[in-house]
Structures are given as C-alpha cells and as structure tokens.
Amino acid sequence: KGLKAEGGTALYKTIARSVEEFRGRPGLKHLLLFTDGKDEQGGVDVETLLRMCKKEKVTISAIGLRTKELDSDMLRRSTGETGGTYFEAKGPEQLLEQFRQAGARMRPHFYRLAFLQGVGLTGPLEVRVGGDNSLLLTQTSRP
C-alpha cells in the first residue's frame, strides 16, 4: 500500500555504482534489485555491467514489477549470467511474497552470531567464522 511506480529508472548506473562499492571487499557480494522498468538514465551498457559483475564476483538477483516498461529480458540475463535468481511480481500485492522468496534464497549465505548475557562466559574469547575470507572476533578479557 502506498507504493507507487513512477519516475526514471537509473538501473545501469545503480548496478555500476553498487559494483564499485563492493570492489575490494571480502566475502559474498550479492546485489538484490527491485525495479518496475527498464533503464532510462543510461551509463555503461549491459555487456560492460556483466563484465564488471563477473570480475568483482557480484551476484545479481532481481525482483521485477510487471509493467509495460519492465525489461525482464535484461534482468533475466543479468541474474542468469551472475548466478542469481529472477523473481517477477504481477502486481504490488505480490511484492511481499517475492521479497520473502528472495530473502530465503539469500539467507543461507549469512550468519548471525549472538552472545547472550549471563551464560557464564569468562576469560578470553576467539570466534572464527568462514573459510578463505574468514572473520575472526577476539576479546582478550571480560568486563
């Protein structure tokens, strides 16, 4: 409710900027796009965008809102060539379900680590998560 599809879509510029933001960062890089149309702002072409994504190992998933302006071919190609998934909503009422499905596919790649108060942790603590791009958390003393 209240979501309105309008305005010029800067899809290519958004993807290019996102890939630049991901550059040099460790870990999985997954871009989830939500769009109601085709690119209307220009920038680099699709071939260049896909080369950038592949070079930086950025996966694209997309949710397309079906309108007459939607470029589903470009979104299917982008998601397919980068290893992502394409979802399409026939109308606004389907968006929530499409976001749930997209989240469920992405969720297994992320971790949540929580330390609960009062569980008896004392002394130094070291937690290592992951393989090649592992994350190391250390605490040398407890307050």
Side-chain angles (χ1 to χ4, degrees), residues 26-100:
L28 293 174
K29 303 168 189 175
H30 201 132
L31 177 61
L32 176 60
L33 302 172
F34 167 61
T35 182
D36 67 334
K38 62 183 176 219
D39 182 81
E40 296 175 338
Q41 300 291 316
V44 297
D45 59 84
V46 176
E47 311 302 327
T48 303
L49 284 175
L50 292 175
R51 275 196 306 275
M52 290 170 62
C53 288
K54 291 172 186 176
K55 180 181 178 189
E56 297 299 325
K57 297 180 179 149
V58 173
T59 301
I60 296 176
S61 287
I63 299 172
L65 178 58
R66 194 178 298 164
T67 63
K68 62 183 177 182
E69 293 86 16
L70 181 64
D71 188 352
S72 60
D73 291 337
M74 181 277 185
L75 294 173
R76 288 179 199 281
R77 180 177 174 199
S78 298
T79 57
E81 289 190 26
T82 62
T85 305
Y86 178 66
F87 304 90
E88 191 168 296
K90 294 178 184 174
E93 64 282 350
Q94 290 184 323
L95 289 177
L96 185 57
E97 181 56 31
Q98 297 301 350
F99 274 107
R100 281 190 185 124

Side-chain angles (χ1 to χ4, degrees), residues 82-122:
T82 62
T85 305
Y86 178 66
F87 304 90
E88 191 168 296
K90 294 178 184 174
E93 64 282 350
Q94 290 184 323
L95 289 177
L96 185 57
E97 181 56 31
Q98 297 301 350
F99 274 107
R100 281 190 185 124
Q101 288 181 22
R105 285 187 180 262
M106 293 174 72
R107 194 171 300 117
H109 302 289
F110 298 92
Y111 301 94
R112 181 183 306 174
L113 180 63
F115 293 97
L116 304 176
Q117 292 181 341
V119 294
L121 293 174
T122 60

